[in-house]
Amino acid sequence: MILLSCSSNHCSLSSNVMASAAAPSTILKSSSIFPHLGWGRRRRSCNLPSINRGVSKSTVAYYGLRSPPYKLDALEPYMSQKTLEVHWGAHHRNYVEALNKQLEKNDILYGCTLDELIRLTYNNGNPLPEFNNAAQVWNHDFFWESMQPGGGEMPKLGLLEQIEKDFGSFDNFKDKFIEAALTSFGSGWVWLVLKREKRCLAIVKTSNAINPLVWNDIPIISLDLWEHAYYLDYKNDRAKYVNTYMNHLVSWNAAAARMARAQAFVNLGEPKIPVA
Amino acid sequence: MDLTKNLTLPELPYGYEALEPAISGEIMRLHHQKHHQAYVTNFNKALHQLSAAVADGDTSAVVMLQSSLKFNGGGHINHSIFWKNLAPVSEGGGVPPKGRLGSAIDEQFGSLEALIQKMNTHGAALQGSGWVWLALDKESKRISVETTANQDPIVTKGPTLVALLSIDVWEHAYYLQYKNVRPDYLKNIWNVMNWNYASAVYDKECPN
């Protein structure tokens, strides 16, 4: 997800989005320059205080389609370029466009970060229509970043220690993760999360678009179990897909970075009580 | 029901390539021989486990088996109906219903086109995996468009409902051929829809 913000006469855009467009120095009112961004008429801003809206009153910023951190053929032969082209280029893109279309009509939801939007539209279990699209945009961003070329193998250092602490051993964790993936019914996701309250890692299954953000847990890696994620490459053989993911795709580097950030919010250490 | 007896995969009433070009032979083969077979196999497994749990008086095990029974049993029920809902063009697939079902559709939906439009809209909007149904309420004799999630059978929408037609909108039902463009699949499947089956069920449940 990229959130573009406009303040005064200067638009700041992240480098991902810039790949295909020239840097604007004036406020743009035309939707033809950023067709995938949907600039349109501005309405009242979101009440959440986090973003400085600036003085511009005639443009709005929507969400963008973020590219995976590798070329579309980089995960071959484990996940084909064709799959990436359809999964990212069509499914993920459609979620972004559908979300932006919904947001065009809804003042109250405008201006949130994607995380905030997901929590808001989840509406404590009675999701609003925007939830599905918002969550799936986030889910797919997170999923691409949970994989890397030359992935698999094992985590190291602190992350490995935490896994061993919470699952007994890495092999036990791997077995449990695969088992969760193979006993999931219908469309959904499997996650390794850091649970905030319990301060431990856990494996979580979710269905359709739901993700652990709605329970305020911190996702570490995810696996897409919707059939579209694997059908072109593996057809009905979900077991082969899941094993391939664990052995060749999962990015423990990304997981380690997410764990490091998570520890700003969750104290995993033992309290060091000084002995008098 | 004898919980120790094995259910079997029903045969397809036509060849795997018979529904082309609406649904490819590759999809039909995988759908029938792999997906439906897996539901049958796993349902049998769950039934055996249920039989053992009931014999042991193990209530917890009985309860734990419910989701597997619902999912795999539902998958078996739904797909068994689905194969009968489809027919090759040479055997009447796609021919609109005449007779009393046709009249009922015109009366309750306005026209066949309106019904198809409604079913396709529901099918396209269904998030995740599930089914779209043309259902008949055996008591009220009304027909309706319903959707169910995952492998929930039509009875989960009402105990007196029976399926006239169904469309599988799980991605495995169309992905290899249509990729993410589910609306194209929904448009084309009507070319092989077996209205004879639907009319037969309707006439049986709604005798004059």
Side-chain angles (χ1 to χ4, degrees):
Chain A
M1 181 283 297
I2 317 295
L3 178 65
L4 310 161
S5 60
C6 254
S7 52
S8 66
N9 285 323
H10 162 69
C11 290
S12 58
L13 297 160
S14 90
S15 58
N16 276 356
V17 173
M18 289 313 293
S20 59
S25 56
T26 54
I27 297 164
L28 298 155
K29 294 184 190 179
S30 158
S31 61
S32 60
I33 298 177
F34 293 99
H36 62 299
L37 294 174
W39 295 81
R41 297 197 69 74
R42 183 196 163 97
R43 298 178 192 84
R44 291 197 320 272
S45 66
C46 180
N47 285 333
L48 296 171
S50 51
I51 300 163
N52 177 10
R53 290 261 61 88
V55 291
S56 162
K57 291 219 180 319
S58 57
T59 53
V60 298
Y62 296 162
Y63 299 96
L65 176 65
R66 178 190 245 163
S67 306
Y70 35 76
K71 291 215 178 98
L72 297 187
D73 63 353
L75 300 180
E76 296 259 11
Y78 309 111
M79 190 176 277
S80 65
Q81 175 175 349
K82 185 73 195 165
T83 294
L84 264 295
E85 281 171 1
V86 184
H87 196 176
W88 173 75
H91 289 272
H92 191 177
R93 188 186 303 273
N94 284 345
Y95 287 125
V96 172
E97 287 174 0
L99 177 63
N100 287 336
K101 206 148 174 252
Q102 285 175 317
L103 291 179
E104 256 174 45
K105 309 170 200 143
N106 195 324
D107 301 356
I108 299 174
L109 295 177
Y110 167 68
C112 307
T113 64
L114 199 53
D115 289 40
E116 287 165 345
L117 186 62
I118 290 169
R119 274 180 261 255
L120 253 180
T121 53
Y122 183 65
N123 197 22
N124 289 311
N126 211 351
L128 305 178
E130 293 83 354
F131 172 75
N132 192 64
N133 289 322
Q136 284 291 75
V137 171
W138 191 96
N139 290 341
H140 284 87
D141 285 340
F142 189 84
F143 177 54
W144 305 133
E145 289 163 12
S146 297
M147 297 188 289
Q148 66 171 78
E153 289 181 21
M154 281 182 59
K156 303 181 179 55
L157 304 174
L159 176 54
L160 179 59
E161 276 174 31
Q162 190 66 38
I163 288 178
E164 285 170 345
K165 179 167 175 234
D166 294 328
F167 292 98
S169 69
F170 177 73
D171 281 334
N172 192 39
F173 154 73
K174 189 175 166 188
D175 288 343
K176 288 265 175 310
F177 192 86
I178 292 175
E179 189 196 330
L182 297 181
T183 54
S184 272
F185 296 150
S187 305
W189 303 77
V190 185
W191 309 80
L192 174 65
V193 298
L194 181 62
K195 289 197 154 292
R196 258 187 237 256
E197 304 279 310
K198 294 192 184 157
R199 301 191 297 147
C200 66
L201 291 171
I203 295 170
V204 167
K205 297 194 271 198
T206 62
S207 61
N208 290 358
I210 302 200
N211 64 38
L213 295 179
V214 306
W215 301 302
N216 205 28
D217 287 329
I218 304 176
I220 303 296
I221 56 169
S222 76
L223 174 56
D224 191 348
L225 293 174
W226 285 62
E227 284 176 325
H228 65 237
Y230 60 91
Y231 215 80
L232 294 179
D233 294 334
Y234 298 95
K235 308 228 173 27
N236 63 304
D237 200 344
R238 189 189 264 192
K240 191 159 173 226
Y241 163 63
V242 175
N243 277 285
T244 303
Y245 170 86
M246 288 306 286
N247 294 332
H248 298 288
L249 288 172
V250 65
S251 173
W252 290 115
N253 290 332
R258 290 160 178 170
M259 268 303 273
R261 282 201 295 273
Q263 289 182 76
F265 302 97
V266 181
N267 185 355
L268 292 171
E270 298 298 330
K272 283 190 166 56
I273 303 169
V275 178
Chain B
M1 184 178 196
D2 181 353
L3 294 180
T4 56
K5 192 167 170 220
N6 278 339
L7 290 153
T8 52
L9 179 68
E11 279 205 22
L12 222 51
Y14 33 77
Y16 288 114
E17 278 78 24
L19 301 180
E20 288 184 350
I23 305 179
S24 71
E26 189 188 15
I27 287 183
M28 289 305 293
R29 216 173 284 272
L30 280 166
H31 205 171
H32 182 246
Q33 290 177 350
K34 303 282 181 197
H35 289 277
H36 190 174
Q37 179 65 69
Y39 292 125
V40 171
T41 306
N42 292 331
F43 189 49
N44 285 333
K45 205 163 90 179
L47 280 180
H48 282 265
Q49 289 170 327
L50 179 65
S51 177
V54 167
D56 288 346
D58 188 348
T59 317
S60 296
V62 170
V63 170
M64 285 304 286
L65 283 165
Q66 295 313 305
S67 64
S68 179
L69 287 166
K70 182 180 185 190
F71 181 68
N72 290 301
H76 175 49
I77 293 170
N78 294 342
H79 286 86
S80 301
I81 297 172
F82 187 50
W83 308 135
K84 295 191 262 195
N85 285 152
L86 304 171
V89 171
S90 58
E91 285 166 40
V95 175
K98 295 155 188 84
R100 295 192 291 119
L101 177 57
S103 316
I105 288 173
D106 287 340
E107 187 200 311
Q108 287 169 49
F109 290 93
S111 66
L112 182 60
E113 288 68 39
L115 168 64
I116 290 177
Q117 170 105 328
K118 185 163 189 195
M119 281 191 73
N120 287 352
T121 304
H122 277 74
L126 195 149
Q127 289 163 10
S129 309
W131 294 76
V132 195
W133 305 87
L134 180 64
L136 168 68
D137 188 323
K138 289 192 279 192
E139 276 182 12
S140 71
K141 313 295 185 199
R142 303 281 302 169
I143 52 178
S144 58
V145 173
E146 308 282 348
T147 57
T148 58
N150 294 341
Q151 291 299 352
D152 294 356
I154 190 61
V155 293
T156 57
K157 279 288 159 108
T160 51
L161 290 178
V162 70
L164 298 176
L165 289 178
S166 64
I167 303 180
D168 188 349
V169 292
W170 278 67
E171 286 170 331
H172 65 236
Y174 61 88
Y175 207 77
L176 292 176
Q177 191 177 350
Y178 294 95
K179 311 274 182 327
N180 63 302
V181 193
R182 194 192 278 181
D184 281 356
Y185 161 69
L186 291 169
K187 199 172 67 150
N188 290 345
I189 200 173
W190 292 100
N191 296 335
V192 290
M193 202 56 88
N194 187 4
W195 284 106
N196 285 335
Y197 173 85
S199 293
V201 174
Y202 184 84
D203 290 341
K204 175 162 162 263
E205 298 294 342
C206 303
N208 266 334

